[in-house]
Amino acid sequence: MKMQSCKMLKLSQIGLLMSSSLLVSMNVQAGRPMVTDDAGITEHRHCQLESWYQRGRSSDEQWALGACNFTGNLELTLGWTRERQRQGGMTENLGVLQFKTVLRDFEEHNWGMALAVGTEVNRKAQFNSASYYALLPVTWSVNQGQQLIHFNMGFAHDAESHENDGLWGLGLEHTLTRRSSLFVESFGQFDQDPLYQLGAAYWLFPERLQLDVSYGDRWVNRDRDRFFSIGFVWHSTRF
């Protein structure tokens, strides 16, 4: 498994091979489709499902991430991803597990912080050969939540190469209307050229079902890792 930066930042959210992150309420917050994570978690006694399709220059990916908050300040995410190389048809299936907790609530203050730790493992590999990561997302709320600024810093261990690397991300979300929002972000690993992504999200059913689209690439050597994605986020009622 090659741990590309957009995957590593997506699962929390930590995408190109490690990822995650989560949408919290109707106010625009980082999560699908952003790679840069926010400092929030799913509401207490609620669950959500994120699923998306991502098409790159040489591969297609399918993602499904389910998250629940059973205790009030601990979010559990379980997920699965399938990547298929269009040339040769080789496929890879990965399982994903993440825990996330809020250290400072940005909805109660002007800024907040969270901690996310997670792992992913190839379906055919042993658990002790899994890759893992830790991430510290920070969020600033501006103009009463109309704009949210997200900053991520963390590290990741790649089971295939047995190497460690730093992770970073910086993103901005802007609320357009009660149902729509836009975002732009840049992210990456310290030893790789950074990537960017921009996109939009729209609530088909407020607080229940959101549709999103995004486009991304690297800042240098453009078109090498260009990708397009389309997906949705579904929120449950309180259980």
Side-chain angles (χ1 to χ4, degrees):
M1 179 196 66
K2 296 180 180 179
M3 296 170 68
Q4 302 176 23
S5 55
C6 64
K7 292 297 183 59
M8 291 303 303
L9 281 175
K10 183 65 177 170
L11 184 50
S12 169
Q13 197 59 63
I14 288 181
L16 289 172
L17 252 185
M18 241 183 129
S19 77
S20 115
S21 61
L22 301 164
L23 195 69
V24 180
S25 68
M26 184 169 174
N27 294 328
V28 57
Q29 297 184 16
R32 177 67 203 160
M34 291 190 74
V35 173
T36 307
D37 199 10
D38 69 355
I41 60 175
T42 307
E43 293 180 70
H44 184 208
R45 296 180 63 184
H46 283 75
C47 293
Q48 69 174 37
L49 173 66
E50 298 179 356
S51 184
W52 68 96
Y53 167 78
Q54 181 168 298
R55 182 178 179 86
R57 293 200 64 186
S58 60
S59 65
D60 299 308
E61 300 171 21
Q62 296 168 295
W63 285 81
L65 298 173
C68 291
N69 181 349
F70 298 102
T71 66
N73 194 26
L74 182 63
E75 181 182 71
L76 170 65
T77 298
L78 292 173
W80 165 87
T81 175
R82 178 179 182 271
E83 180 180 21
R84 185 182 71 86
Q85 300 294 328
R86 286 198 294 276
Q87 185 173 3
M90 185 180 69
T91 62
E92 184 175 31
N93 293 279
L94 302 172
V96 176
L97 170 66
Q98 177 183 276
F99 297 93
K100 185 180 181 185
T101 186
V102 172
L103 305 178
R104 177 186 170 94
D105 190 346
F106 72 86
E107 292 186 341
E108 295 181 1
H109 309 86
N110 290 329
W111 68 276
M113 181 182 298
L115 173 65
V117 294
T119 182
E120 71 165 22
V121 60
N122 192 303
R123 186 184 63 176
K124 299 178 181 179
Q126 297 180 358
F127 188 77
N128 59 12
S129 64
S131 301
Y132 56 85
Y133 64 90
L135 194 70
L136 194 69
V138 180
T139 295
W140 289 270
S141 178
V142 182
N143 293 332
Q144 297 181 335
Q146 290 296 109
Q147 291 85 38
L148 296 175
I149 302 170
H150 310 289
F151 174 72
N152 290 183
M153 187 64 67
F155 81 93
H157 172 76
D158 188 343
E160 185 178 82
S161 65
H162 303 289
E163 294 180 350
N164 299 318
D165 196 8
L167 305 173
W168 65 273
L170 180 63
L172 170 66
E173 292 183 89
H174 175 68
T175 301
L176 291 177
T177 69
R178 183 173 177 268
R179 290 193 173 194
S180 61
S181 61
L182 300 174
F183 79 89
V184 60
E185 63 179 333
S186 185
F187 52 91
Q189 295 175 236
F190 289 165
D191 67 348
Q192 295 184 6
D193 295 329
L195 296 99
Y196 69 87
Q197 185 178 207
L198 51 90
Y202 181 79
W203 288 97
L204 298 174
F205 301 98
E207 300 188 74
R208 287 293 176 264
L209 183 63
Q210 183 187 63
L211 178 69
D212 57 72
V213 294
S214 68
Y215 170 85
D217 201 350
R218 293 196 183 273
W219 289 104
V220 297
N221 298 319
R222 296 186 64 183
D223 295 334
R224 187 182 69 185
D225 292 311
R226 181 179 58 196
F227 63 92
F228 168 82
S229 74
I230 182 169
F232 70 87
V233 181
W234 172 80
H235 292 265
S236 75
T237 58
R238 184 179 177 87
F239 56 80

